[in-house]
Amino acid sequence: PQRQRLERIAEAARPALAATFGDQPDAPLYPPRVLDVGAGTGCLIPPLLRVAGSERRRREAAAAGEGGAGGHLASSSPLPMDYLAVDVSSGMLDALERIHGAAGQGAGGERGGGEGEERDPSLVLGNLPRIRTWLGDVESVPQFQAPFDACLFNAVFGNVHDQRSSLLAAALLLRPGSGRVVVAHPMGRGWHERLRAADAEIVPHALPQNAEKWAELLRGLPLELVDAAAERGEGRGAAAAAAAAAAGAE
């Protein structure tokens, strides 16, 4: 089922989300920051909220068990993560805001970016965790948005203009040492290749097939491969084809 595939993709980001909460019993709980490239209508938001929420509860329970106060949030937001959706389609981001805006503060998400458009920078600033949006590609996200703990390319890595440039942009936006990039496709490589064969202009790139192909793609980038998950089955039965890379430099 689609939901289970999306859950597996969100789980691939768990190490980075868990690292943000830390292990000191009385330290503030800083919600992780997530960058979702090619977010579309936000299909990863529910599973990411579940993963981040479970890590926050784990940290609070561990702190309480050690005699601490259970930790305290560094902000008053109920959201367990700060999330930035990036997409080149304003229509997709509009839909995301309608569907998931209630999970943030106010009536909808925040919008920033926009090629050739003037937008108020205050729309993507602020310290409270919330759902935000950015119109553009990952290379257009400015450094003032960083650092992020996890960056996900879900069902979009074959569509980006340049895969290495996109990975480099993501790496430079990550938190050094603990940040993680997750590249995945919920329908698997076979489905992706059929789509690519049907429209190579929209889907110009293949997905890396194995760890060796990933090593070639990552050579010279400030990322290191930490996992290349194998697919199981084809089409609707395919597992999330995920590969994760962590920032290598402190």
Side-chain angles (χ1 to χ4, degrees):
Q2 180 78 350
R3 177 176 173 178
Q4 292 180 357
R5 292 192 285 264
L6 296 175
E7 292 281 358
R8 286 196 289 271
I9 293 169
E11 282 292 332
R14 183 181 288 274
L17 305 189
T20 306
F21 288 117
D23 296 315
Q24 298 303 313
D26 294 315
L29 304 181
Y30 290 98
R33 304 195 65 236
V34 177
L35 177 64
D36 189 358
V37 180
T41 59
C43 64
L44 281 178
I45 292 177
L48 284 169
L49 284 173
R50 282 191 283 273
V51 170
S54 68
E55 285 301 323
R56 182 170 73 177
R57 291 189 296 273
R58 177 194 60 79
R59 163 67 162 71
E60 290 172 332
E66 293 172 5
H72 59 280
L73 281 174
S75 79
S76 59
S77 172
L79 276 188
M81 70 175 183
D82 188 67
Y83 171 92
L84 180 65
V86 175
D87 206 288
V88 297
S89 169
S90 59
M92 288 289 188
L93 295 180
D94 288 341
L96 183 150
E97 291 169 357
R98 288 194 302 270
I99 296 169
H100 302 286
Q105 296 192 2
E110 294 185 338
R111 178 71 59 83
E115 297 181 5
E117 297 184 41
E118 293 184 3
R119 296 186 182 274
D120 183 353
S122 67
L123 293 179
V124 288
L125 297 175
N127 295 324
L128 292 178
R130 63 181 300 155
I131 291 174
R132 315 166 194 268
T133 57
W134 183 270
L135 181 60
D137 59 21
V138 66
E139 295 183 59
S140 74
V141 178
Q143 281 296 315
F144 70 73
Q145 289 289 335
F148 291 94
D149 299 289
C151 174
L152 296 102
F153 291 83
N154 176 44
V156 73
F157 197 59
N159 304 74
V160 298
H161 174 68
D162 185 292
Q163 290 180 328
R164 277 181 58 85
S165 294
S166 296
L167 287 172
L168 176 59
L172 296 177
L173 291 167
L174 287 178
R175 193 178 305 279
S178 63
R180 174 170 289 214
V181 174
V182 176
V183 178
H185 201 300
M187 300 304 291
R189 184 176 290 105
W191 189 94
H192 172 86
E193 285 304 312
R194 288 191 289 273
L195 185 62
R196 181 172 173 238
D199 196 338
E201 184 175 350
I202 298 298
V203 189
H205 304 292
L207 299 177
Q209 296 181 2
N210 49 43
E212 288 72 24
K213 294 294 185 182
W214 272 112
E216 293 177 13
L217 190 60
L218 295 176
R219 186 172 293 116
L221 298 181
L223 295 166
E224 60 183 7
L225 185 68
V226 296
D227 183 48
E231 295 177 75
R232 297 187 298 275
E234 284 288 336
R236 294 184 182 276
E250 289 287 354

